[in-house]
Amino acid sequence: MARTSLFLSLFSKIPLLLIDQTGCHAHRHSLLLHRSSSFFAKPLKKIHVDPICMNITTHLCTSSLSAESPIHKSSAKTTNTLSNRAKKKARRESPDGVLRYKLDMCSKHGDVVEALRLYDEARSNGVQLNQHHYNVLLYLCSSSDLGLKRGFEIYRQMGIDNIAPNEATFTSSARLAAAMEDPEMAFDLVKQMKTFGIPPKLRSYGPPLFGFCKKGKAGKAYEVDAHMVESGVSAEEPELSALLKLSADVKHTDKVYEMMHRLRATVRQVSELTAEIIEDWFKSEDAAEVGEKDWDVGKVREGVLKGGGGWHGQGWLGVGKWRVVRTEMDETGVCRSCGEKLVCIDIDPRETENFASSLTSLACEKEVKADFVQFQEWLQKHGPFDAVIDGANMGLANKQSFRFSELNYVVNQLRQMSPSKRLPLIILHRSRVHGGPARNPNNKKLLESWRKASALYATPLGSNDDWYWLYAAVSCKCFLVTNDEMRDHLFQLLGTSFFPRWKEKHQVRLMISKHGPTLHMPPPYSIVIQESEQGSWHVPTVTGDDLETPRQWVCATRAKDLSSTLSKLDIHHHERDSEVVTS
């Protein structure tokens, strides 16, 4: 009863003020705190039940209980299967089952008008709505101006019907509040989630956070951000970008600095929209005025060492206007605009070991454990290797048909690059080793030579070879040759903290052009936001891939330091040209 009362008080007190938008805004918080006890569930009409379905169900249940008959005893499993099918069919064809299907179709097509018509019809016919029905309705209402007013009415009715809310309920209701330009209410709804033991998700925080940012309420936006951190929810680029812009707009220079570093740690390469926000900040008068004129060089270097390189975290350095340009890096990581050389940020060996352990745990969950353990034992016996090849991906590099010739090209190139001249490890699915082009006599000889050199591992039937080649590369601490972007569900399980950094330093790609195939090695610098010891900033964007198109970077350097950086650039180019002439 206590939990029921809590549901009723929550659902009844919030939506009343937004059902009638003619009410005074000043009374919102007093109305929010008002608890009403005048809501009672509307009595439902009796639902018509098809007698045929009832007869079928009764017959099946009666049959299953007739344990005396040897026929029934021998067919109990079949009877249970039929019973389950009949039950599922009855659920689908019941009034609430039909309503669920129709509402799902409305959600698929974004048809809020039809969804509201179905809702009204269901209530007038006495159909009992469940949590899923209400959540679909709230989602549709929160996504359309047509449904805003009705959305809160439906939300309130959900409480009257004593339907327990879940995360989707609160998130859609928070979106309703934000659409009515009331981020305060949206935030209250998110905070209420903890009352019901429901952990908020990132999407739950979007309505209040973006609402406060839009209104320029920095203090409240930072409060939402702090609540996210407290709840263990990590902000991503849209949230950090909004906080960055807000901080710049309200001249909170320390917060701008904080958001730049959170983007560095979380996002690495920024979208075009975020890049423009960063450029606008560096071009502003506030950016020109903030910064240490005489900073502690030793403390800055200590910060660089402590952070692993590429940033120091000691605040804005230097004074004066910034020179902000879009530029590219040369093949060694030197900025073509200011001459600053970017660094390669090291990965802690302990992180790699921990990642290998977590990778093993995930693989054993998703694969047949005995198969994967057998592979680990094989790798322990025959490894380590200098490189691992995703054989299927390389054989299909032409995107037409599997070719052992292209795979063999990669194998030979890597063998020549290896200090020990050892063959790399080739991972291929068993079907690739025994069927199709593998039956060709020349390919058979090639496969046999790899097998004899203990350089080929055929993954078992039914397995996902991605787990095998990824684990091999991580555990051997070596290059991984694949054009796989590694963005699907499997790789999302690995998280966004360590894996992107590891991939950047270890993935080798194969490019095929009219001049033939070419291996592209990992860059000798980290493609991540970098802050130099002199205070300049370099921000990589998602524009360009460094393969066919050079990546675009935002370079921000104090204008007064430009002459020295340009002289550095001239010296670097002169040294490089001298190397070309003498070689």
Side-chain angles (χ1 to χ4, degrees):
M1 283 299 293
R3 192 165 180 81
T4 301
S5 300
L6 187 58
F7 283 143
L8 283 172
S9 64
L10 171 68
F11 281 93
S12 62
K13 72 182 180 180
I14 293 178
L16 282 174
L17 65 154
L18 289 176
I19 293 174
D20 182 6
Q21 281 297 298
T22 60
C24 178
H25 184 81
H27 294 299
R28 285 190 172 189
H29 289 286
S30 62
L31 285 169
L32 270 170
L33 297 173
H34 174 68
R35 293 176 180 266
S36 172
S37 59
S38 60
F39 301 109
F40 299 94
K42 177 181 176 182
L44 299 176
K45 298 177 182 178
K46 291 184 179 179
I47 300 174
H48 173 71
V49 180
D50 190 336
I52 296 175
C53 290
M54 283 298 292
N55 289 337
I56 292 172
T57 306
T58 303
H59 170 71
L60 289 171
C61 292
T62 304
S63 298
S64 64
L65 290 172
S66 302
E68 300 301 321
S69 169
I71 298 174
H72 289 148
K73 198 171 183 178
S74 64
S75 61
K77 187 174 181 181
T78 305
T79 304
N80 287 334
T81 302
L82 289 172
S83 179
N84 289 334
R85 286 177 182 172
K87 287 176 182 177
K88 287 180 181 178
K89 182 179 179 183
R91 281 198 297 269
R92 283 197 309 269
E93 295 177 355
S94 66
D96 59 305
V98 172
L99 177 61
R100 179 189 180 111
Y101 173 77
K102 289 182 177 180
L103 285 176
D104 286 347
M105 289 299 100
C106 289
S107 178
K108 182 178 179 180
H109 300 292
D111 193 346
V112 66
V113 174
E114 175 61 13
L116 291 172
R117 189 196 68 77
L118 290 169
Y119 169 73
D120 291 334
E121 181 181 74
R123 291 208 63 79
S124 65
N125 291 336
V127 178
Q128 178 67 58
L129 276 71
N130 59 33
Q131 187 188 77
H132 180 82
H133 297 136
Y134 276 114
N135 282 342
V136 173
L137 286 161
L138 289 171
Y139 167 75
L140 284 166
C141 288
S142 69
S143 306
S144 169
D145 292 339
L146 295 171
L148 291 183
K149 185 175 178 180
R150 292 296 306 277
F152 279 102
E153 174 193 321
I154 292 168
Y155 176 77
R156 178 166 166 260
Q157 186 61 50
M158 184 177 182
I160 295 171
D161 288 350
N162 201 23
I163 303 298
N166 62 5
E167 181 273 330
T169 310
F170 281 105
T171 297
S172 291
S173 302
R175 287 172 180 161
L176 282 168
M180 304 297 277
E181 298 190 1
D182 195 341
E184 190 73 55
M185 178 181 287
F187 191 26
D188 284 342
L189 283 160
V190 174
K191 288 186 282 189
Q192 285 284 352
M193 293 174 73
K194 287 194 172 183
T195 307
F196 292 97
I198 301 170
K201 294 183 179 180
L202 179 60
R203 66 179 187 175
S204 310
Y205 286 101
L209 181 64
F210 295 128
F212 286 129
C213 287
K214 183 179 178 182
K215 287 178 174 287
K217 294 186 176 181
K220 297 300 295 185
Y222 299 149
E223 187 181 337
V224 175
D225 183 40
H227 198 278
M228 289 173 62
V229 174
E230 181 187 329
S231 300
V233 176
S234 299
E236 296 182 357
E237 184 173 6
E239 294 77 26
L240 294 174
S241 183
L243 287 166
L244 174 65
K245 185 178 186 307
L246 175 65
S247 301
D249 290 343
V250 299
K251 306 180 190 300
H252 286 184
T253 57
D254 289 345
K255 279 290 185 180
V256 173
Y257 188 80
E258 176 191 332
M259 297 308 157
M260 287 290 291
H261 276 291
R262 287 175 67 181
L263 282 168
R264 174 191 58 77
T266 306
V267 180
R268 297 178 70 79
Q269 297 99 40
V270 304
S271 66
E272 185 61 30
L273 177 62
T274 303
E276 290 173 3
I277 292 171
I278 291 171
E279 287 173 322
D280 289 343
W281 155 252
F282 280 113
K283 291 175 182 177
S284 69
E285 290 296 325
D286 298 304
E289 293 172 2
V290 67
E292 292 289 332
K293 186 175 182 181
D294 300 308
W295 62 87
D296 187 332
V297 175
K299 194 173 181 180
V300 168
R301 286 180 180 170
E302 182 183 342
V304 171
L305 291 172
K306 187 177 179 181
W311 66 284
H312 53 75
Q314 300 302 308
W316 302 111
L317 303 183
V319 291
K321 289 187 175 181
W322 295 80
R323 179 176 179 268
V324 186
V325 296
R326 289 290 181 101
T327 186
E328 301 167 4
M329 300 295 145
D330 71 10
E331 63 277 7
T332 64
V334 173
C335 176
R336 295 188 185 278
S337 174
C338 73
E340 186 77 40
K341 184 175 176 62
L342 301 187
V343 302
C344 182
I345 301 170
D346 294 332
I347 293 177
D348 190 329
R350 289 172 297 182
E351 286 188 281
T352 304
E353 291 172 10
N354 293 337
F355 183 67
S357 297
S358 63
L359 191 59
T360 299
S361 299
L362 282 168
C364 288
E365 286 178 16
K366 303 296 180 182
E367 296 289 305
V368 176
K369 186 175 181 179
D371 289 342
F372 196 77
V373 170
Q374 183 179 358
F375 169 65
Q376 288 180 300
E377 293 171 352
W378 183 93
L379 189 63
Q380 185 72 27
K381 179 181 178 181
H382 298 286
F385 294 86
D386 295 327
V388 175
I389 300 175
D390 174 4
N393 185 272
M394 289 297 98
L396 291 166
N398 59 32
K399 299 179 182 179
Q400 294 174 359
S401 59
F402 190 89
R403 294 181 183 175
F404 275 97
S405 59
E406 290 183 359
L407 177 55
N408 192 39
Y409 166 83
V410 175
V411 171
N412 290 332
Q413 287 292 305
L414 291 170
R415 185 177 193 175
Q416 291 175 20
M417 293 165 57
S418 169
S420 62
K421 302 303 177 186
R422 186 184 179 185
L423 285 172
L425 171 60
I426 305 121
I427 302 287
L428 275 173
H429 197 272
R430 187 167 295 173
S431 60
R432 297 281 185 194
V433 174
H434 297 291
R439 296 189 180 122
N440 178 284
N442 290 331
N443 293 336
K444 275 187 176 181
K445 289 180 182 178
L446 185 62
L447 286 164
E448 187 58 29
S449 68
W450 293 344
R451 192 179 286 108
K452 285 182 178 179
S454 299
L456 173 67
Y457 192 89
T459 59
L461 294 173
S463 66
N464 185 341
D465 57 357
D466 292 7
W467 291 111
Y468 290 78
W469 50 252
L470 181 58
Y471 174 80
V474 172
S475 61
C476 292
K477 302 179 180 63
C478 67
F479 289 128
L480 170 62
V481 188
T482 180
N483 286 346
D484 193 322
E485 292 296 335
M486 294 182 264
R487 290 174 181 166
D488 63 18
H489 176 66
L490 182 156
F491 300 104
Q492 289 176 9
L493 294 173
L494 304 176
T496 58
S497 176
F498 176 82
F499 184 57
R501 289 183 285 137
W502 181 90
K503 185 173 76 167
E504 179 184 283
K505 293 173 72 71
H506 293 84
Q507 185 177 10
V508 178
R509 298 172 186 269
L510 176 68
M511 293 297 296
I512 297 178
S513 65
K514 61 183 180 181
H515 304 295
T518 307
L519 288 177
H520 283 260
M521 305 304 291
Y525 57 94
S526 295
I527 307 173
V528 63
I529 296 175
Q530 297 201 21
E531 173 193 36
S532 77
E533 292 183 34
Q534 289 72 42
S536 62
W537 288 78
H538 291 87
V539 182
T541 71
V542 294
T543 304
D545 57 8
D546 290 324
L547 295 176
E548 297 178 349
T549 309
R551 186 180 302 278
Q552 293 294 299
W553 291 68
V554 176
C555 168
T557 309
R558 298 281 186 181
K560 63 177 291 185
D561 299 327
L562 183 59
S563 57
S564 62
T565 54
L566 286 177
S567 64
K568 280 197 298 182
L569 185 61
D570 290 338
I571 292 171
H572 171 76
H573 286 164
H574 176 72
E575 290 175 347
R576 191 178 62 182
D577 292 343
S578 298
E579 290 174 3
V580 172
V581 171
T582 55
S583 59

